[in-house]
Structure formats: C-alpha cells, structure tokens
Amino acid sequence: MADRKPIESWLTDMDGVLIHEGVPIPGAEAFLKKLRDSGRPFLVLTNNSIYTARDLHARLRRMGLDVPAGNIWTSALATAQFLNDQRPGGSAYVIGEAGLTTALHDVGYVLTDHEPDFVILGETRTYSFEAMTKAVRLINDGARFIATNPDNVGPSTEGALPATGSVAALITAATGRKPYFVGKPNPLMMRAGLNAIGAHSETSAMIGDRMDTDVLAGLEAGMRTFLVLTGVTQPQEVDAYPFRPSQVVDSIADLVDLI
C-alpha cells in the first residue's frame, strides 16, 4: 500500500469504533478533535436508521464527543438519497423510526399504505406483526422492497435484538422477494457519503470494527481500510475472511497520528 496517495478524507463507523455501549472508546475524542482541527472532510457512519443526524449529534455530545450533524451519515439518509435518485417524488410504506421517515420526507417522499412505490424496512424497537403483514401484502401487490441495512441483530443493554436483516428475512420468506439493502456492506452507502463531502475514494480511508460490513464496504468502494479491535471482529477471526483490511490496529487511538 506504500504507493497509495496520502489520506485526505476519513470515514469511520460509530459503534465499536468511537463508542461502546454508550461510552466513548479511549482515543475517540482525540481523533475527532484532530479531524475537526485539521479541516479534513470526514463522516461518522452508522447502519442504524432509528435516529436523525441531529439526534445522533446530541447523543454523542452527551457522551463528550463533538460530531456536527453534517458529518453524520446514516443508512436512513443513504436510503432516502438512493430513492430520490431512482424515483424522485415517489411514495413508500415505511416500517421504521424518525431517522428514516424524516430522511424520506426531506427528499419529498409521500408516506402511505395505499399503492406505494416501495416498502421500506428500517430499524425499530417496536416491530409489529400488523406492520409486517401489511408490508407482505403490499410487496405481493407489486411494491418494490428496500431495506436500510442487512444487520441481523442489534445491541442493547439487555443483549442482542432482532434487527432489520432478521425482519427482512421473515418478509422475504413470506413473499419470495428479497430486498435491496442500501447500508453497509453495500459500497453505495460509502460512495454516496464520499460524494456528500466531496471526497475521492483513492485518498479516503474507512475505519470499522467489522470485517463483514465496514471493511468489506470500504474495500469495495476503493478506500484504504482500517480494522479496530474494539468491536465485533476479534483478532483470531480476521484470517477467516478472503479479504484483508489495509491495516489492523488495537483501537482508534492508534490512528490519531495519521491525520
């Protein structure tokens, strides 16, 4: 990798890289401060579609991490942009929270259960059988199936929660229709994020804690990739994958000096 151009822009995952169970990971504050002081373009990414960028800005700030809302990129925002590019001014039946519905409203989408163009599945802590049944029937009637991200489980203080990927599998089993997943590891989310900050993949880096989403998405988007060992992927699991990150480091603290 020695012949690659210097890193001018940074993308980083949030959970497992900057925070863990609501607590900042040592080095996260220093990393973000150096990014802000340097003036380099950067984005904090998350596959979670529950919260708006403003919500996440406030949540991170309460933890002592200052990330402007404009530097936060969620799977909900990526999904809204994708749909606006594909079918501007469309309509959708949505299973999700404010992060997703707000993003769709902001691009001019109408949310309806009457002959929608799309059924969009996102993250929510209150998946209902009634909503899933309606989604199945609308997809059977011709609505296109989109999901914000493929994560099967999400974290909570009580343990794992079924997430978008798991519910999408249920709907797929009932309809025979697989969704198009917009979030990581789809490199579309990364490329859209790079475009949002005017960055180029050949001079950008992606930091993540998961080989199967963060590193894969960064790799497929043409970026340099850094795996931190403060989240999901454990050191002994790295060699099990048929691809490798550009570099494996213990934590975000090891990357501060690269900015």
Side-chain angles (χ1 to χ4, degrees):
M1 306 299 291
D3 59 342
R4 293 200 63 157
K5 295 180 180 179
I7 299 171
E8 297 177 359
S9 308
W10 291 85
L11 276 63
T12 176
D13 187 39
M14 186 170 66
D15 293 303
V17 178
L18 301 177
I19 60 174
H20 180 67
E21 294 183 353
V23 177
I25 290 171
E29 183 179 3
F31 182 83
L32 291 169
K33 182 179 187 305
K34 195 165 182 183
L35 273 179
R36 293 193 308 272
D37 292 346
S38 72
R40 294 185 185 279
F42 75 95
L43 281 179
V44 173
L45 296 93
T46 177
N47 257 0
N48 191 317
S49 64
I50 291 178
Y51 303 106
T52 67
R54 290 192 300 274
D55 293 335
L56 290 172
H57 162 72
R59 288 167 64 88
L60 289 168
R61 193 164 191 175
R62 286 197 297 271
M63 299 176 202
L65 300 178
D66 185 10
V67 182
N71 293 98
I72 296 173
W73 189 245
T74 71
S75 64
L77 292 170
T79 298
Q81 181 172 312
F82 168 74
L83 292 171
N84 190 44
D85 291 341
Q86 290 278 304
R87 187 178 288 261
S91 60
Y93 175 70
V94 177
I95 299 176
E97 301 285 347
L100 182 55
T101 56
T102 300
L104 290 166
H105 276 140
D106 285 348
V107 298
Y109 255 62
V110 173
L111 307 189
T112 179
D113 62 359
H114 179 67
E115 298 182 353
D117 297 316
F118 298 95
V119 166
I120 306 175
L121 175 66
E123 213 76 65
T124 175
R125 297 292 167 85
T126 56
Y127 288 113
S128 77
F129 186 77
E130 180 182 359
M132 288 186 280
T133 299
K134 184 173 288 292
V136 166
R137 292 172 179 170
L138 291 171
I139 291 168
N140 284 338
D141 287 341
R144 302 155 187 85
F145 188 16
I146 301 288
T148 57
N149 65 287
D151 300 59
N152 288 321
V153 295
S156 79
T157 54
E158 293 81 23
L161 293 171
T164 307
S166 298
V167 179
L170 182 154
I171 295 174
T172 293
T175 62
R177 300 277 294 279
K178 293 182 179 180
Y180 179 73
F181 291 107
V182 176
K184 299 176 294 181
N186 188 342
L188 175 76
M189 180 174 174
M190 321 297 278
R191 293 190 180 278
L194 288 172
N195 290 338
I197 59 174
H200 300 283
S201 59
E202 62 181 359
T203 55
S204 298
M206 174 64 196
I207 310 166
D209 70 302
R210 293 184 59 151
M211 287 288 290
D212 58 343
T213 55
D214 306 318
V215 171
L216 181 57
L219 179 72
E220 293 189 346
M223 291 186 284
R224 202 171 311 184
T225 55
F226 293 91
L227 177 72
V228 295
L229 300 176
T230 48
V232 174
T233 299
Q234 298 302 303
Q236 67 275 15
E237 297 173 332
V238 176
D239 285 339
Y241 290 88
F243 53 89
R244 288 189 61 82
S246 306
Q247 191 173 340
V248 180
V249 297
D250 289 334
S251 76
I252 192 74
D254 297 306
L255 301 177
V256 175
D257 290 340
L258 294 184
I259 299 173

